[in-house]
Amino acid sequence: MEGAIKTVVGVYLKSSKGKENLGGKEFQSLVKNQLKNIMTGAEDNEAVTNMRQQLDNNQDGKVGFQEYMNLIGYLAQALSNQRCLEKETQAESSIQETQPEAAANAQAEPQAAKEAEKEDKPVVEKAANPEELKPEEEKKTDVEQEEAKAEENKAEEKIKTEEAS
């Protein structure tokens, strides 16, 4: 954990080149070089510019350390949600496979997988959309909504499994 924190701070300091804030070019470079594997749209200059503007809470045209940490926190939360959903999906799949009627359900699985894929679309992709970068209070509401939706999906799957029995 300490190493991860040191890396996050070190990346900011190196990218800011000793300044207090990241200017447009520095932020663009940081996103392209450091976040391209977890964030779609990192290569799109306009998308990154829009993201920087969304992060710029004090409207000074630059991204300060706290604004940068808001982005890192949002990405970490999105990645955590994505991994939790993946684990839930894997767990549900393994439970369904162990049931005797798994063969009967095999025909329904492609459709269920498509529906789950639509609903469980990685949250990280949303982070690339600058309009989705919101203040912390609004993000928590979105996270809570996503968790509620995941719980509803889980309950529906449980009902379907029980009905199939």
Side-chain angles (χ1 to χ4, degrees), residues 18 36 49 60 78 85 90 94 119 130 146 163:
K36 64 184 174 216
T49 298
D60 66 354
L85 289 173
Q90 289 173 353
S94 66
E119 293 170 4
E146 288 293 325
E163 289 176 352

Side-chain angles (χ1 to χ4, degrees), residues 81-97 109 112-122 150 153-154 157:
N81 289 343
Q82 177 185 355
R83 292 207 174 147
C84 287
L85 289 173
E86 287 171 359
K87 284 183 180 180
E88 287 175 7
T89 303
Q90 289 173 353
E92 288 174 5
S93 295
S94 66
I95 290 171
Q96 289 176 354
E97 290 297 320
E109 285 180 3
K114 287 179 184 176
E115 290 173 12
E117 188 175 300
K118 288 178 187 174
E119 293 170 4
D120 294 341
K121 190 159 184 132
N153 292 339
K154 234 166 87 177
E157 287 297 321

Side-chain angles (χ1 to χ4, degrees), residues 1-161:
M1 180 67 99
E2 285 181 37
I5 293 170
K6 287 179 181 179
T7 299
V8 167
V9 172
V11 166
Y12 178 84
L13 293 174
K14 184 176 179 181
S15 297
S16 67
K17 299 175 183 173
K19 300 176 187 171
E20 285 186 28
N21 300 303
L22 294 168
K25 290 180 183 177
E26 291 90 3
F27 183 74
Q28 192 90 25
S29 177
L30 183 147
V31 170
K32 282 184 179 181
N33 296 324
Q34 301 294 326
L35 302 174
K36 64 184 174 216
N37 293 325
I38 64 166
M39 205 164 84
T40 59
E43 297 295 325
D44 182 358
N45 291 341
E46 187 175 330
V48 175
T49 298
N50 289 337
M51 184 188 319
R52 180 177 49 83
Q53 291 170 347
Q54 292 292 319
L55 287 170
D56 188 12
N57 291 332
N58 63 0
Q59 303 298 311
D60 66 354
K62 300 173 185 172
V63 176
F65 185 75
Q66 183 58 51
E67 294 163 333
Y68 162 78
M69 288 306 298
N70 289 341
L71 173 63
I72 299 302
Y74 179 73
L75 292 173
Q77 183 67 47
L79 190 60
S80 173
N81 289 343
Q82 177 185 355
R83 292 207 174 147
C84 287
L85 289 173
E86 287 171 359
K87 284 183 180 180
E88 287 175 7
T89 303
Q90 289 173 353
E92 288 174 5
S93 295
S94 66
I95 290 171
Q96 289 176 354
E97 290 297 320
T98 60
Q99 296 176 349
E101 63 276 352
N105 291 338
Q107 294 174 350
E109 285 180 3
Q111 181 61 30
K114 287 179 184 176
E115 290 173 12
E117 188 175 300
K118 288 178 187 174
E119 293 170 4
D120 294 341
K121 190 159 184 132
V123 182
V124 174
E125 288 186 39
K126 292 184 180 181
N129 183 350
E131 288 75 29
E132 294 294 326
L133 295 172
K134 300 175 181 177
E136 287 297 317
E137 292 176 23
E138 290 181 37
K139 288 180 206 171
K140 288 179 185 173
T141 303
D142 289 346
V143 170
E144 290 169 359
Q145 289 174 356
E146 288 293 325
E147 290 172 353
K149 189 183 284 185
E151 287 297 319
E152 288 175 10
N153 292 339
K154 234 166 87 177
E156 288 176 7
E157 287 297 321
K158 186 176 180 181
I159 291 170
K160 287 178 186 177
T161 304

